[in-house]
Amino acid sequence: MIKLLKLEYYKNLNYRPFKIFTALYFAILIAFLCIGLFDMNLFGSPINLKEQGMYNFPEIWNFTTWIVALLKIFLGLIIVFSISQEFSNRMFKQNIIDGLSRKEFILCKLWTITVFTVISTIIVFAITMFLGYTYSATTNSEKVFEEIFFIGNYFVKLFTFFCFLLFLSVVLRKSMFVFLAFFVYWIAENIVNKIEMYQKIGGLKGAQQMEAIKNSIFYTDYLPLESMSRLIPNPMIRLNMAKMMGLKYEFHYPTENLIACLVWCGIFILGSYWVLRKRDW
């Protein structure tokens, strides 16, 4: 493992985009976590997310993980550039000639993905604890750790997303094609989701529609991006202003989506290895 990590480190050490996007990601990540400390303008009125309960335990775990998950594309750029430049510079072929197996190549990338995911998760955990203990209305230990499972969900969401980009990078090899394919897939998944939604609740209204949504099984919920999305729900409904408007927050742990993400991780990793073995490089 150490040997593979060292190999990956030295390969990326002099790759300028790798260093730039890494620094940019972690800088923006920390800035986004502190966004609630500043007043924001919403429809012409100032709003302070800290005063709206963003940093209160246990809600803070939901807020911080959801907000920083929006930034995962920055870290995704690092992963894609790191892999794509190996093919464009023929480094992959040279590594194979020098004795690196295709299995070891995939393991190199997986360890890189894992390291980035772990570091990101630790930073989010540490800053969330600091902000929570500093600004939360309650620091009761029961409340503090009540929703800490969102940190685990964040780790799985990030790792699954990177495995998806790993697969696209191995298949398409060029970073431009990878991001284009990702964008096209994102649109396609949303279209399929809307079609299934229309088929099951089209024509229904009010209570009937809500009942159908609650009791129906939507198979598109288990597609890669939707599975990741459902691990951490949008927390804006938990703001004090939303509560004053009578909006209620309901959350049931997405066990099925968690399992789906783990299955997709396996598919993307094995698929990447299969492509490397079958394609003539």
Side-chain angles (χ1 to χ4, degrees):
M1 180 188 80
I2 301 298
K3 175 187 173 183
L4 296 177
L5 283 174
K6 283 183 177 180
L7 176 63
E8 197 67 12
Y9 171 76
Y10 287 120
K11 281 194 293 186
N12 292 311
L13 183 62
N14 296 315
Y15 187 51
R16 189 176 180 83
F18 182 88
K19 293 186 287 187
I20 291 175
F21 281 107
T22 300
L24 185 64
Y25 169 77
F26 287 111
I28 296 177
L29 183 150
I30 294 172
F32 261 60
L33 286 174
C34 299
I35 194 172
L37 301 177
F38 306 96
D39 290 336
M40 301 173 62
N41 195 289
L42 185 64
F43 304 118
S45 301
I47 180 174
N48 187 288
L49 294 177
K50 176 171 68 70
E51 296 175 357
Q52 290 295 321
M54 175 180 172
Y55 294 142
N56 287 341
F57 286 119
E59 292 94 335
I60 187 173
W61 297 110
N62 190 183
F63 276 102
T64 54
T65 52
W66 184 80
I67 289 172
V68 297
L70 299 175
L71 301 173
K72 62 183 180 293
I73 191 63
F74 282 98
L75 206 50
L77 288 171
I78 301 170
I79 303 299
V80 172
F81 288 145
S82 172
I83 298 172
S84 298
Q85 61 109 12
E86 297 226 21
F87 297 122
S88 60
N89 297 339
R90 299 186 178 275
M91 290 174 61
F92 171 76
K93 190 170 184 179
Q94 185 61 47
N95 286 332
I96 296 299
I97 294 173
D98 292 340
L100 186 73
S101 69
R102 287 167 171 79
K103 179 181 177 181
E104 287 176 324
F105 176 83
I106 291 295
L107 287 176
C108 273
K109 301 309 173 186
L110 283 178
W111 279 118
T112 301
I113 288 172
T114 302
V115 167
F116 273 114
T117 306
V118 168
I119 293 174
S120 181
T121 303
I122 290 174
I123 291 175
V124 173
F125 173 81
I127 295 180
T128 299
M129 290 291 283
F130 171 76
L131 292 172
Y133 272 105
T134 304
Y135 300 108
S136 177
T138 176
T139 54
N140 179 281
S141 59
E142 183 178 347
K143 287 291 185 181
V144 168
F145 298 105
E146 184 178 329
E147 296 185 10
I148 198 173
F149 57 80
F150 278 118
I151 285 290
N153 287 14
Y154 173 75
F155 179 91
V156 173
K157 181 174 184 174
L158 211 58
F159 188 78
T160 306
F161 180 70
F162 295 154
C163 286
F164 185 29
L165 293 182
L166 167 67
F167 175 70
L168 291 179
S169 299
V170 169
V171 172
L172 300 173
R173 294 188 288 178
K174 293 186 179 295
S175 56
M176 181 180 69
F177 294 154
V178 172
F179 290 114
L180 180 62
F182 175 79
F183 182 69
V184 170
Y185 176 80
W186 175 68
I187 294 175
E189 187 174 304
N190 275 279
I191 292 174
V192 172
N193 182 279
K194 296 297 185 292
I195 291 173
E196 185 184 31
M197 181 84 67
Y198 178 78
Q199 288 177 337
K200 294 192 175 181
I201 67 172
L204 300 179
K205 294 182 179 180
Q208 285 184 323
Q209 189 180 76
M210 296 303 296
E211 189 69 19
I213 292 175
K214 184 177 180 180
N215 296 324
S216 298
I217 297 176
F218 293 90
Y219 296 105
T220 51
D221 289 349
Y222 304 104
L223 292 175
L225 298 181
E226 187 63 24
S227 293
M228 296 178 219
S229 176
R230 288 180 172 270
L231 290 180
I232 305 174
N234 190 324
M236 295 306 164
I237 198 173
R238 308 183 73 173
L239 293 173
N240 291 337
M241 61 165 37
K243 295 175 183 176
M244 291 174 62
M245 294 169 61
L247 299 176
K248 294 183 178 180
Y249 170 77
E250 292 184 5
F251 178 74
H252 302 286
Y253 192 83
T255 305
E256 296 86 355
N257 296 108
L258 180 66
I259 295 172
C261 283
L262 296 176
V263 170
W264 283 117
C265 281
I267 292 173
F268 294 142
I269 292 169
L270 292 175
S272 300
Y273 180 59
W274 184 83
V275 171
L276 283 179
R277 286 192 62 188
K278 294 298 181 181
R279 180 173 289 181
D280 182 12
W281 302 92

